[in-house]
Amino acid sequence: MAQLWGGRFTKDTDELAYAFNASILFDQKFFKQDIEGSKAHVRMLAAQGILTGQESEEILTCLDEICADVESGALAITEEYEDIHSFVEAVLIDRIGDTGKKLHTGRSRNDQVALDMRLYTRLEICYTDLLLKELLETLYKIMEENLDTVMPGFTHLQKAQPVTLAHHVGAYFEMFRRDRGRLHDIYERMNYCPLGAGALAGTTYPLDRELTAKELDFYGPTLNSMDSVSDRDYVIELLSALSTIMMHLSRFCEEIILWNSDEYRFVEIDDAYSTGSSIMPQKKNPDIAELVRGKTGRVYGALVSILTTMKGLPLAYNKDMQEDKELTFDAIDTVKGCLAMFTGMIATMHFHADRMRESAKRGFTNATDAADYLVGRGVPFRDAHGIIGQIVLTCMERGIAIEDLTLEELQTFCPAFEEDVFDAISLDACVDRRLTIGAPGREAMEQALAAQRAYLAEDWPAKEH
Ligand code: ARG
């Protein structure tokens, strides 16, 4: 078919070259944003006297109809068009004739696609933010219910000191809270309108860029037309933030997979989020957690891909930038899917508090506290460390915990031990004495929860577009 740029060509595009160049298969994803942008452009053209009131009304009505027809399925977006921009314009001209040919006045597909991509990613930032908030609310609930659920805290995947499930989950609360913050920062920086930048050098029409920016809920117009059509920083920033979300989800999934194993049995993933084996009847596998962990790779891939695509591009627009779309769309859909899955999985997951406590007890996680007890009785820390080390060795040989020794036995290692040692090294006491800001002790955790509650009560002021 005739191309919208066909005037200076004497020959049709090679069929394969045409297909190679076309983007309609994926840029149709933002057909609504394309129409929304065109409508703002038309209203501005009318306000500036570049289109008459009647022309703009005719175009606006038809654009709304096209949008409704695509949504209802009455109008199919087909591959005979190069991209979504050509499709909308061609249908418009087909339906209203010559007036439709005025839509593209003072505009290039370069600023048009820059606008569409911004509108699309801006909306997706809002959706992703909502999913993150739901996840944070779920984590908050688990924390609230598990302030006394003692479990081992690990370093090097070796049991280290006792913490609580609330405290462990609270670490992820902080991560996902920062993820939201990153999305908000990106939104603030990207929320400027590139429309009116033209192909690269603005236009000679008296466009009111402030007006289109306002119409489309941007903070204002972008300030350099060459940058406007060639900037994909916000895509890179978004993919970086999405990669970080996936990294956090993946770390949590890794822990859940371990905790769900028979060796740990700290948790049991609900049947609704587990799968079976085709050969081994006893199996219940944590596939959802594994898939979330696995999908992290493709989101990182999108980030590396766009960074590489952009690195050698001279100003201003280059067709290479068309490659930003598929991977970004896929990364956004992947992250949204993973967030929803993950939230459902942990909201229904069962925590085995008794197994966690038992594991903390068996792992000498109170050894530091036992040493601190001796320090409190005047033993220098280095000596106390050595004494407790010897006690641990003995306990390991006998397969018992420090608190299973009698006072007399403890006193054979150091006479400074007294009856109150048992209270001092009980797991609950070890946790509850950790009261500095950010520590797992109950009071400290209650303070943290109060701050998180206040944070969750705030709504992100960004308008939903
Ligand atoms: N499909 C193109 C893209 O995504 C639209 C812009 C085309 N501009 C051009 N000068 N060929 O980048």
Side-chain angles (χ1 to χ4, degrees):
M1 72 167 291
Q3 306 290 354
L4 51 80
W5 37 256
R8 58 100 67 216
F9 285 74
T10 53
K11 194 170 152 182
D12 284 347
T13 322
D14 171 82
E15 222 176 288
L16 284 178
Y18 179 79
F20 185 72
N21 184 56
S23 53
I24 188 120
L25 282 179
F26 44 89
D27 63 17
Q28 56 180 274
K29 200 156 169 102
F30 49 49
F31 82 91
K32 270 199 211 163
Q33 284 79 12
D34 193 73
I35 290 175
E36 192 189 343
S38 287
K39 285 171 64 183
H41 182 63
V42 167
R43 283 194 291 264
M44 180 276 293
L45 291 178
Q48 296 301 96
I50 301 166
L51 290 180
T52 66
Q54 202 194 334
E55 286 167 335
S56 81
E57 278 315 309
E58 216 182 323
I59 298 175
L60 290 173
T61 310
C62 187
L63 285 173
D64 279 337
E65 283 164 11
I66 294 173
C67 190
D69 288 350
V70 170
E71 280 189 301
S72 73
L75 176 65
I77 301 174
T78 61
E79 280 173 57
E80 65 185 297
Y81 302 94
E82 178 186 340
D83 52 32
I84 192 63
H85 326 296
S86 322
F87 167 80
V88 173
E89 191 177 321
V91 178
L92 183 74
I93 294 169
D94 189 45
R95 291 190 177 183
I96 63 171
D98 281 352
T99 311
K101 295 181 182 166
K102 299 191 175 181
L103 165 67
H104 210 51
T105 311
R107 189 175 68 168
S108 155
R109 279 185 298 168
N110 296 353
D111 58 345
Q112 190 178 355
V113 77
L115 172 68
D116 293 0
M117 193 65 182
R118 264 186 214 234
L119 289 173
Y120 185 87
T121 48
R122 184 178 71 174
L123 180 62
E124 292 296 331
I125 284 177
C126 297
Y127 290 151
T128 310
D129 178 69
L130 283 178
L131 287 163
L132 277 171
K133 185 149 191 225
E134 274 169 37
L135 172 56
L136 286 173
E137 274 156 5
T138 306
L139 296 181
Y140 179 85
K141 196 160 168 282
I142 296 172
M143 289 164 70
E144 225 180 5
E145 289 166 1
N146 287 285
L147 286 171
D148 298 317
T149 309
V150 173
M151 66 178 285
F154 296 83
T155 62
H156 315 271
L157 206 50
Q158 306 282 319
K159 292 176 200 174
Q161 290 175 344
V163 294
T164 63
L165 178 60
H167 193 245
H168 195 118
V169 169
Y172 286 100
F173 188 102
E174 296 303 316
M175 295 179 224
F176 293 118
R177 177 177 170 165
R178 288 195 294 273
D179 286 329
R180 284 191 81 203
R182 266 182 279 276
L183 292 182
H184 301 177
D185 292 347
I186 296 166
Y187 183 102
E188 288 303 306
R189 237 183 329 278
M190 75 177 288
N191 196 27
Y192 292 88
C193 183
L195 194 63
L200 77 162
T203 79
T204 53
Y205 294 97
L207 303 187
D208 184 349
R209 293 196 59 214
E210 303 270 0
L211 182 61
T212 32
K214 209 164 146 225
E215 291 263 339
L216 293 164
D217 271 322
F218 285 105
Y219 295 148
T222 51
L223 293 184
N224 180 292
S225 59
M226 292 177 81
D227 179 53
S228 305
V229 293
S230 63
D231 168 35
R232 295 294 182 271
D233 289 4
Y234 64 97
V235 175
I236 292 170
E237 286 189 48
L238 176 58
L239 289 173
S240 165
L242 295 180
S243 294
T244 309
I245 294 173
M246 288 306 293
M247 181 265 288
H248 293 152
L249 285 175
S250 183
R251 291 183 72 179
F252 208 164
C253 282
E254 170 69 14
E255 298 206 295
I256 289 169
I257 293 162
L258 283 173
W259 293 353
N260 189 63
S261 71
D262 206 34
E263 282 65 26
Y264 278 78
R265 267 198 292 124
F266 283 6
V267 301
E268 181 163 350
I269 301 175
D270 194 75
D271 279 7
Y273 292 90
S274 307
T275 51
S277 155
S278 62
I279 175 170
M280 297 167 281
Q282 83 283 13
K283 294 272 269 178
K284 191 173 134 183
N285 295 326
D287 288 27
I288 301 299
E290 289 172 8
L291 264 179
V292 171
R293 187 178 58 183
K295 284 177 190 289
T296 306
R298 64 202 268 178
V299 179
Y300 287 7
L303 172 63
V304 174
S305 171
I306 183 71
L307 279 169
T308 313
T309 296
M310 293 303 293
K311 81 174 262 296
L313 296 189
L315 290 179
Y317 177 82
N318 298 270
K319 191 67 174 239
D320 314 45
M321 290 188 295
Q322 180 168 289
E323 286 295 308
D324 65 352
K325 289 172 199 64
E326 280 165 290
L327 291 163
T328 303
F329 297 157
D330 181 73
I332 291 170
D333 291 344
T334 300
V335 171
K336 286 194 306 182
C338 288
L339 281 170
M341 274 293 128
F342 186 84
T343 301
M345 181 178 71
I346 57 158
T348 53
M349 197 159 73
H350 182 72
F351 295 96
H352 293 301
D354 49 336
R355 289 279 307 180
M356 292 184 182
R357 179 174 283 271
E358 186 54 27
S359 169
K361 181 173 152 82
R362 275 186 289 111
F364 300 104
T365 55
N366 54 0
T368 315
D369 295 81
D372 288 343
Y373 170 88
L374 290 179
V375 171
R377 303 270 164 317
V379 181
F381 180 77
R382 192 47 58 211
D383 291 340
H385 186 285
I387 293 164
I388 303 299
Q390 284 169 3
I391 294 177
V392 166
L393 199 59
T394 302
C395 289
M396 279 167 65
E397 281 163 6
R398 293 174 54 188
I400 57 173
I402 301 176
E403 58 275 29
D404 295 333
L405 291 169
T406 63
L407 179 60
E408 292 68 38
E409 284 171 325
L410 285 171
Q411 284 169 341
T412 62
F413 292 93
C414 177
F417 281 116
E418 286 172 41
E419 190 59 43
D420 61 354
V421 65
F422 296 105
D423 281 340
I425 65 169
S426 80
L427 287 178
D428 296 294
C430 292
V431 170
D432 278 337
R433 275 204 311 272
R434 291 180 151 74
L435 289 176
T436 45
I437 295 174
R442 185 172 244 280
E443 272 173 49
M445 277 302 294
E446 273 167 3
Q447 275 174 29
L449 280 175
Q452 284 152 354
R453 206 164 38 244
Y455 162 76
L456 288 175
E458 284 165 26
D459 269 328
W460 179 34
K463 206 170 143 175
E464 224 193 280
H465 299 280

